[in-house]
């Protein structure tokens, strides 16, 4: 969580050198003056380059809200190191100022011993709230939301609201959309700061309030939440629980991360890798290997089937060995054509451009695309067989015709399997290149040998 | 462009039926009252279900700003139809209220005859501005930005600023970040509405202003702009030209779209498809076929090389035909292992988690991952050869050893080619599954036959 639209200076390379110098000279007064101007993202990037000793030194001179925000950007390992070096008072200061959603993210990752140390200073009510938030399923709206929002009442006047925002607004994530709640914190509506600022002082919020606000539920999946943001272009969305009580808000900066993570997850699944939230460089080779080996094993064992087909036609291959050289080309063309179709459909399903009900449209479209692409490939491959490979015309025809059939079959399989997966509530992304290739390989070889068998009388 | 954080009611299925009924009864007064409450996205979704005649009828009763915003959401074909049905006055009203970036997007797509009709009402200055914006390269910051922002001067007091915002703010995309400009519109800094609202009336903006604001240039690529938004979590970013003059702002809702489009483009490139901004269902079969056939042809012709290798070892295959059945498995395992590596690296490069300078780290990591994965696959495949395929132990050993070598080679090629592409200023996404598979196929077959040649003395 970054405070939405908080913009401060960008740190340039030359600034870092100045900071390094000041730190070296232990001129903490000037250092503080300098560093306070920078954006917390850049302060984090700067501290990340220092050792723990100097990091703690810089942390001590940061503004309290910066310290909390910078701290929340470090990864778990770095946080543990820092927490070990901080005094109790320093830990308390950071915990007081850290945004609630960042605290939850942190507590979820920290070793339990460290969590105890961190939560020593929380009162009972706070602890109860933390436990409640820890219980929201991963990737749910509840796990994304934060509690720092401005809550107003419908009977307040514009002047009262502005006074309230002046006093309470500064530690909120956003003051630009204020939520109106009734008894038991039921969400009644919202009013934008734009409307408050442009109204007269004695206007009652009730007159400015928009009712039936667009909101999400604590248990909604983050992918759905992202789609709501995308559809409406909002900066923040309120989150309500089953009883319609306002429990938090989600801001768009967290959604940018969700969108990136969801796309990354799809890329991983589509390449037959078990998804992981850590970046490539963060993962150990063991972990990377574990995520990759399962699917490779499944696909390898599935290829047995393709091997059996090859085996069945051994006699045919031995009598016309020229057939063998086209096997890689036919297998690859089928795999590639199928991957093209499945990728487009998987992505369309993910962005919402394609729905299960478009099934017939997709099949019909893939069929027409396959006819065009198949004819072109068959034509070119026939010429290639004659001019480059110098094979008999019969074999050239068999290869071209097989290619045509393979393309049509691959595109139909690649186009339909992702939709079928979605229909069965599976992730369509598993129906991508690797799996499609394995399926299509077996089928295309069968077509190849059967066509050869019939056409060449072997 | 949607006004950032403008939230209005969500239209439910039941509401649509009520609207349909009112439209049927031509009770336009009640219809207007109802429809005015809804969010422009939902109004658009509703009108989209109507025929042109009824669409125009609903357009006539919309609030002027809604009409412009709803209109900008339609696709080009629908816009042309509507423009034909609108009167001159109606066109003028929409053009007056449409956001500038939406107008530019529209003009870029509309047939030139319609553009003339639309621009008939613009004055010379406006036309000059439009031409300037049309000249920004596609996918640049300039093509994303809009001109509706609040511009203040440093000598203004808080009271003057609030008065200015009250009068001018309502047709701006956002009033929450106001930009301070000096002579010749040079960007000096910014001040947030939060700071204005929480300051006393006679404070001068100069004291509230943050200098050295983070901005982008008109010619920056949209991918870079998105990365700045992701890094800092901003809601809006100012855009300056070469002379440092403030020319527009970009808001986060447009960045959500950019991120989605960039991911989609990578998915397409990685599946060997020429990228297209239209959705799958919008593209004609001809267009889809055109985007797919080029790479399929390139890959097919490249497979000739693999065919030649098969050809060279014809004698060996004929003497030990059992070797043939493992060809699909070895080819697929190599392709899949290579795709896994290249996908992770391509995605890491796209999100900025991996940089060119990480080259050595990547190679070393892939090598270790490949050793682990290769050993497991080799072990399992040896057991499979013995238990399921019942081949001689010599062939089992050749297959397992080849598999091990293939995995290592594929992972190294898959890990390094995307980084090499980036180094050469090519899009790393082309170094994905299909191309890697073709390269790895040839090499793995060569390994297979050479290992067999040496080990089995054939």
């Amino acid at each position: 969580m970054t405070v939405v639209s908080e913009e401060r200076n960008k740190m340039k390379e030359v600034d870092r050198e100045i900071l390094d110098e000041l730190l070296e000279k232990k001129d903490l007064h000037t250092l503080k003056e300098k560093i306070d101007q920078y954006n917390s993202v850049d302060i984090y990037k700067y501290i990340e380059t220092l050792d723990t000793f100097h990091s703690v030194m810089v942390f001590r001179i940061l503004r309290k809200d910066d310290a909390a925000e910078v701290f929340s950007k470090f990864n778990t390992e770095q946080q543990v190191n820092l927490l070990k070096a901080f005094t109790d008072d320093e830990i308390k200061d950071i915990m007081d100022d850290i945004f609630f959603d960042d605290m939850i993210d942190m507590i979820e990752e920290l070793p339990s011993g460290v969590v105890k140390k961190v939560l020593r200073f929380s009162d009972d009510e706070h602890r109860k709230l933390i436990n409640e938030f820890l219980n929201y399923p991963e990737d749910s709206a509840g796990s994304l939301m934060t509690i720092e929002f401005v809550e107003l009442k419908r009977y307040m006047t514009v002047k009262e609201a502005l006074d309230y925002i002046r006093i309470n607004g500064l530690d909120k994530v956003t003051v630009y959309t204020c939520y109106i709640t009734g008894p038991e914190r039921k969400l009644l509506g919202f009013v934008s700061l734009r409307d408050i600022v442009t109204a007269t002082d004695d206007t009652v919020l009730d007159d400015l309030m928009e009712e039936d606000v667009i909101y999400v539920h604590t248990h909604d999946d983050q992918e759905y939440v992202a789609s709501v943001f995308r559809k409406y272009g909002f900066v923040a969305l309120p989150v309500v629980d089953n009883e319609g009580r306002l429990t938090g808000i989600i801001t768009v900066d967290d959604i940018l991360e969700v969108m990136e993570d969801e796309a990354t997850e799809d890329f991983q699944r589509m390449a037959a890798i078990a998804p992981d939230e850590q970046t490539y460089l963060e993962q150990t080779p063991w972990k990377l290997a574990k995520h990759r080996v399962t699917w490779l094993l499944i696909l390898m064992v599935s290829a047995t089937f393709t091997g059996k087909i090859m085996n069945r036609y051994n006699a045919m291959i031995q009598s016309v060995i020229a057939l063998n050289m086209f096997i890689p080309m036919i297998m690859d063309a089928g795999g590639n054509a199928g991957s093209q179709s499945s990728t487009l459909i998987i992505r369309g399903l993910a962005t919402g451009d394609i729905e299960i009900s478009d099934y017939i449209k997709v099949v019909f479209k893939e069929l027409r695309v396959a006819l065009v692409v198949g004819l072109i490939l068959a034509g070119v491959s026939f010429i290639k067989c004659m001019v480059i490979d110098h094979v008999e015309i019969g074999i050239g025809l068999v290869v071209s015709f097989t290619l045509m059939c393979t393309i049509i079959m691959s595109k139909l399989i690649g186009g339909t399997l992702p939709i079928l997966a979605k229909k069965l509530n599976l992730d369509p992304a598993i129906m991508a290149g690797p799996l499609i290739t394995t399926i299509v390989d077996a089928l295309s070889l069968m077509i190849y040998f059967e066509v050869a068998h019939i056409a060449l009388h072997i």
Side-chain angles (χ1 to χ4, degrees), chain A residues 351-403:
Chain A
T351 57
D353 292 326
I354 299 175
E355 284 170 30
I356 295 177
S357 57
D358 294 319
Y359 178 75
I360 300 295
K361 264 188 253 176
V362 169
V363 170
F364 191 55
K365 203 158 214 171
E366 283 305 310
L367 192 63
R368 284 181 292 171
V369 174
L371 281 170
V372 176
V373 172
L375 274 173
I376 296 175
L377 285 184
V380 173
S381 78
F382 183 74
I383 296 170
K384 187 180 93 73
C385 283
M386 296 296 102
V387 178
I388 301 180
D389 305 322
H390 305 295
V391 292
E392 287 167 44
I393 191 157
I395 293 181
L397 286 172
V398 167
V399 169
S400 308
F401 184 72
T402 303
L403 209 49

Side-chain angles (χ1 to χ4, degrees), chain A residues 50-270:
Chain A
L50 305 174
D51 56 29
T52 308
F53 177 78
H54 286 97
S55 299
V56 173
M57 208 146 123
V58 177
F59 257 107
R60 283 194 182 131
I61 56 164
L62 288 183
R63 301 193 322 197
K64 275 179 68 181
D65 54 339
D66 275 345
E69 197 154 327
V70 169
F71 182 77
S72 66
K73 294 188 201 302
F74 281 94
N75 71 30
T76 307
E77 197 187 328
Q78 295 165 324
Q79 285 178 339
V80 171
N81 281 337
L82 287 169
L83 286 171
K84 276 184 197 151
F86 286 155
T87 66
D88 277 3
D89 280 351
E90 282 162 357
I91 295 179
K92 185 174 182 318
D93 280 351
I94 285 180
M95 289 307 122
D96 282 349
D97 267 357
I98 200 166
F99 280 117
F100 196 74
D101 61 338
D102 290 332
M103 187 196 284
I104 298 296
D105 289 346
M106 193 182 87
I107 291 174
E108 274 171 348
E109 300 295 330
L110 287 179
S112 61
V114 184
V115 169
K116 264 188 204 146
K117 193 172 168 188
V118 164
L119 291 186
R120 227 176 331 162
F121 313 105
S122 311
D123 55 30
D124 278 358
E125 203 190 331
H126 200 222
R127 257 180 245 219
K128 217 179 117 196
L129 200 59
I130 290 171
N131 273 320
E132 198 180 298
F133 270 63
L134 285 174
N135 279 327
Y136 289 117
E138 204 189 349
D139 298 343
S140 71
S143 75
L144 279 177
M145 69 188 178
T146 193
I147 52 170
E148 288 89 1
F149 52 86
V150 178
E151 202 175 337
L152 302 173
K153 296 291 171 188
R154 63 196 307 167
Y155 48 76
M156 285 172 135
T157 63
V158 160
K159 191 178 176 318
E160 284 167 345
L162 278 173
D163 285 343
Y164 181 88
I165 292 169
R166 265 185 205 122
I167 296 165
N168 299 288
L170 285 176
D171 59 341
K172 302 306 181 196
V173 170
T174 180
V175 299
Y176 298 134
T177 307
C178 305
Y179 300 94
I180 312 265
T181 54
E184 290 180 3
R185 305 193 72 179
K186 285 256 160 72
L187 179 63
L188 299 178
F190 70 93
V191 52
S192 70
L193 184 60
R194 180 199 290 246
D195 289 342
I196 296 180
V197 166
T198 50
T200 53
D201 272 0
D202 54 353
T203 313
V204 180
L205 293 192
D206 204 28
D207 296 334
L208 298 176
M209 178 172 84
E210 302 272 1
E211 284 177 62
D212 286 333
V213 40
I214 293 164
Y215 56 81
V216 292
H217 281 102
T218 45
H219 283 79
D220 283 337
D221 186 80
Q222 61 177 10
E223 216 164 341
Y224 169 74
V225 178
S227 76
V228 175
F229 270 93
R230 248 184 351 247
K231 181 173 170 194
Y232 292 103
F234 291 153
V235 168
L237 261 185
V239 185
V240 302
D241 65 11
N242 288 333
E243 279 79 42
R245 286 185 299 242
L246 180 61
T247 48
I249 63 167
I250 297 175
T251 50
V252 70
D253 57 312
D254 289 328
I255 293 303
L256 293 177
E257 265 174 53
V258 167
M259 283 179 61
E260 186 165 302
D261 291 348
E262 292 282 342
T264 299
E265 206 182 296
D266 277 354
F267 276 110
Q268 291 169 337
R269 282 237 169 76
M270 289 171 72

Side-chain angles (χ1 to χ4, degrees), chain A residues 40-58:
Chain A
S40 60
V41 181
D42 286 319
I43 300 177
Y44 155 69
K45 295 249 171 206
Y46 174 65
I47 298 183
E48 218 197 358
T49 63
L50 305 174
D51 56 29
T52 308
F53 177 78
H54 286 97
S55 299
V56 173
M57 208 146 123
V58 177

